Amino acid sequence: MSPKERPHWHNWAGNQQCTPERIERPSSEQGLIRVVKQAAATGRRVKVVGSGHSFTGIALTDGRLVQLSNYGRVLSIDREKRTATVQAGISIARLNEELDKQGLALENLGDINYQSISGAISTATHGTGRAFGGIATQIIGMRLIAGDGSVVECSPEKEADVFSAARVGLGALGIISTVTLNGVKAFNLHALEMPMRIDQVLESLDEHIRDNDHFEFFWVPGTGWALTKFNQRTDAPLATRGRWREFRDDILINNVAFSVLCRIGRLRPSLVPSIARAMPSSGRAEYVDKSYRVFASPRLVRFYEMEYGIPIEAAREAVNRVRALVKQSGLVPIFPVEVRFTKGDDIPLSTASGRDSCYIAVHVFEGMQYQQYFEGVEDIMNDYGGRPHWGKLHFQTAETLAPRYPEWQRFQQVRARLDPEGRFSNPYLDRVLGPTRS
Ligand SMILES: Cc1cc2nc3c(=O)[nH]c(=O)nc-3n(C[C@H](O)[C@H](O)[C@H](O)COP(=O)(O)OP(=O)(O)OC[C@H]3O[C@@H](n4cnc5c(N)ncnc54)[C@H](O)[C@@H]3O)c2cc1C
């Protein structure tokens, strides 16, 4: 097949694209196995893609691209045990709704819900909350298709090493077919969102993290302001913003108006500082809503992002260094710098492996230069043994990353066993994990 005849795929942000040999959309586990076996027989590579929300080339392939659009059903929900087993391609949005119908919820989420569950866990997607881990920590079982097409069922009791590694597997260990999740009783969140002076936020940072279930803030570069979000679990009844207010805040202000400002800033960079100074005035909001409706918001403005996990103790100093970098460099990205916190976990390649973490994320509007800004921030994060989000832009290699993960070798052993021929690899994985060694 000539390259022109090949299908074309690109990610959400539009900064990664590939021309796979073929796109497959299986609707059963047998179908997934068939794709892997055919690829093995013909020496092709295979890559699964979730909803394409990673900014890195993690989901790219020139071999067989497996899309999970026909593979996203709920297989079972046990209300008593609060568990659910789902096909890997289910979106987090749909999963939230299905769990809610049964009086259940996921205990913590990131700030969007478009991802597939398997894509989200594969890159260690996380939200915020000192007492809570990333989404992968809520997984208690999985069925995985290895490089030879065999199915490995894993859990803390069965194939424990595979389970441990595959919760954040970067798509390098096999195709996740189904996942079993631990839910919690559905709960409401009391949301308080307001602008605060960044110095004030940092001065009381430990208290904010300690005293709130889910605290995060967005510093607006070029200003002394941050937009803060204090989300508390509550038994209080719903007191939502109302449809109009929700539409105004989430769509008109945070997306439509913001998009216009970004476009102006891209055309006339000299206006960016004034735009940035106008942003924190977006006001205060207080409401109570279902947890999953508070955690996730619509994101219609496209951007490029880098995010680093660092030890939580370094949060204040690292944020101040990013502020100093922006000031000294004269860069004024329109997008805020997002800062979040999670509990450490025991997953070998999780960005929070073995340590409570602070996450610092930097963004630029689509089509804008990010190299200098992101490299500058990465240099700072390197000083704290920073671990880049696997789905967000960074410049690390296996050599620089291996020493940052105490359980790196354990992951590599599982990879060598499940995918000795590198069937699930691609140039991004070769760069960040090194070639497969069987
Ligand atoms: C607007 C936006 C907001 C975001 N917000 C957050 C956030 O709040 N917190 C956060 O941590 N991250 C966030 N991210 C990053 C995002 O959560 C991750 O990049 C996530 O991996 C995307 O999920 P996906 O379904 O699109 O996966 P994809 O990007 O499609 O795939 C990611 C990886 O998972 C692998 N994969 C997918 N399904 C399978 C499977 N069944 N078996 C094996 N491997 C599989 C792919 O091969 C690939 O390696 C955000 C991204 C965007 C664009």
Side-chain angles (χ1 to χ4, degrees):
M1 192 189 286
S2 80
K4 273 193 175 164
E5 289 166 306
R6 285 175 167 236
H8 180 258
W9 181 88
H10 65 83
N11 66 343
W12 174 86
N15 65 326
Q16 302 288 346
Q17 35 202 307
C18 62
T19 49
E21 189 185 43
R22 198 189 299 172
I23 296 185
E24 315 263 6
R25 294 182 185 85
S27 56
S28 65
E29 187 173 271
Q30 275 311 315
L32 292 173
I33 294 170
R34 203 174 311 119
V35 174
V36 176
K37 286 198 166 161
Q38 278 173 1
T42 53
R44 302 292 200 279
R45 283 180 163 188
V46 181
K47 189 95 313 247
V48 191
V49 66
S51 69
H53 273 63
S54 295
F55 298 89
T56 55
I58 194 164
L60 301 182
T61 187
D62 58 4
R64 305 281 161 93
L65 188 74
V66 179
Q67 284 190 332
L68 298 174
S69 40
N70 296 327
Y71 197 65
R73 284 192 300 117
V74 173
L75 299 176
S76 63
I77 294 188
D78 187 327
R79 290 175 71 149
E80 293 291 299
K81 291 189 183 149
R82 296 182 181 155
T83 59
T85 299
V86 296
Q87 290 178 331
I90 193 168
S91 70
I92 291 184
R94 164 111 196 280
L95 177 60
N96 287 337
E97 281 167 14
E98 296 293 336
L99 290 174
D100 188 52
K101 283 184 202 159
Q102 305 296 331
L104 300 175
L106 291 175
E107 71 168 9
N108 201 7
L109 289 167
D111 59 18
I112 56 159
N113 58 17
Y114 310 114
Q115 309 99 321
S116 65
I117 187 66
S118 55
I121 63 172
S122 295
T123 60
T125 292
H126 62 90
T128 192
R130 174 76 193 249
F132 304 96
I135 298 177
T137 63
Q138 300 167 61
I139 305 293
I140 54 169
M142 233 183 253
R143 282 171 72 83
L144 194 69
I145 298 157
D148 61 358
S150 61
V151 177
V152 184
E153 200 169 341
C154 61
S155 68
E157 293 79 38
K158 204 172 171 187
E159 294 276 13
D161 255 23
V162 173
F163 173 73
S164 181
R167 284 176 293 169
V168 178
L170 285 75
L173 304 181
I175 298 186
I176 300 167
S177 170
T178 65
V179 295
T180 302
L181 300 131
N182 226 350
V184 295
K185 194 165 163 280
F187 60 100
N188 290 345
L189 281 175
H190 173 267
L192 174 60
E193 297 163 8
M194 59 181 177
M196 278 174 78
R197 300 297 298 177
I198 179 72
D199 286 332
Q200 201 190 335
V201 174
L202 292 176
E203 206 174 293
S204 310
L205 190 61
D206 296 343
E207 291 79 42
H208 294 323
I209 299 171
R210 189 194 59 212
D211 299 343
N212 294 280
D213 292 324
H214 308 277
F215 170 70
E216 69 179 303
F217 67 92
F218 298 80
W219 169 58
V220 186
T223 78
W225 287 95
L227 305 170
T228 56
K229 285 192 176 189
F230 299 86
N231 292 334
Q232 292 281 30
R233 293 161 176 249
T234 178
D235 293 328
L238 297 182
T240 62
R241 284 173 290 175
R243 287 217 171 156
W244 159 244
R245 177 85 201 267
E246 210 173 285
F247 178 73
R248 194 201 68 177
D249 291 356
D250 293 351
I251 304 294
L252 287 184
I253 297 177
N254 290 342
N255 281 290
V256 179
F258 185 53
S259 162
V260 172
L261 294 178
C262 288
R263 277 164 212 280
I264 296 171
R266 193 171 54 188
L267 277 173
R268 297 273 304 276
S270 60
L271 293 178
V272 170
S274 322
I275 294 171
R277 279 192 294 276
M279 286 207 311
S281 58
S282 59
R284 187 181 193 277
E286 190 167 6
Y287 53 96
V288 176
D289 209 339
K290 293 185 178 192
S291 59
Y292 64 95
R293 289 178 44 79
V294 175
F295 284 133
S297 334
R299 286 276 191 282
L300 308 177
V301 181
R302 311 231 164 193
F303 54 86
Y304 311 141
E305 179 175 353
M306 179 174 83
E307 184 179 54
Y308 264 87
I310 58 171
I312 202 164
E313 301 75 29
R316 189 180 295 107
E317 183 181 292
V319 171
N320 276 329
R321 286 181 65 187
V322 173
R323 291 172 71 191
L325 170 83
V326 168
K327 198 169 176 187
Q328 282 154 18
S329 65
L331 292 164
V332 189
I334 307 175
F335 266 78
V337 175
E338 184 176 14
V339 185
R340 297 184 275 187
F341 311 88
T342 67
K343 187 173 155 188
D345 61 45
D346 61 353
I347 306 175
L349 292 199
S350 162
T351 38
S353 191
R355 67 191 193 197
D356 290 349
S357 297
C358 162
Y359 289 93
I360 300 183
V362 291
H363 318 69
V364 300
F365 185 45
E366 63 172 341
M368 291 185 87
Q369 289 298 325
Y370 60 78
Q371 189 94 8
Q372 186 195 349
Y373 179 31
F374 287 8
E375 278 178 356
V377 173
E378 186 168 272
D379 280 349
I380 295 171
M381 300 304 148
N382 283 338
D383 289 345
Y384 304 102
R387 297 169 179 164
H389 190 301
W390 297 112
K392 301 185 183 179
L393 296 165
H394 65 92
F395 310 97
Q396 307 286 351
T397 62
E399 211 178 14
T400 58
L401 291 167
R404 304 182 193 194
Y405 289 88
E407 301 222 64
W408 183 265
Q409 276 318 323
R410 206 168 143 209
F411 182 92
Q412 295 289 8
Q413 279 158 10
V414 174
R415 186 179 181 215
R417 186 189 134 200
L418 296 188
D419 187 25
E421 292 173 1
R423 182 88 39 235
F424 303 109
S425 202
N426 66 9
Y428 175 80
L429 293 183
D430 289 345
R431 186 188 109 207
V432 300
L433 295 178
T436 317
R437 279 189 207 92
S438 56

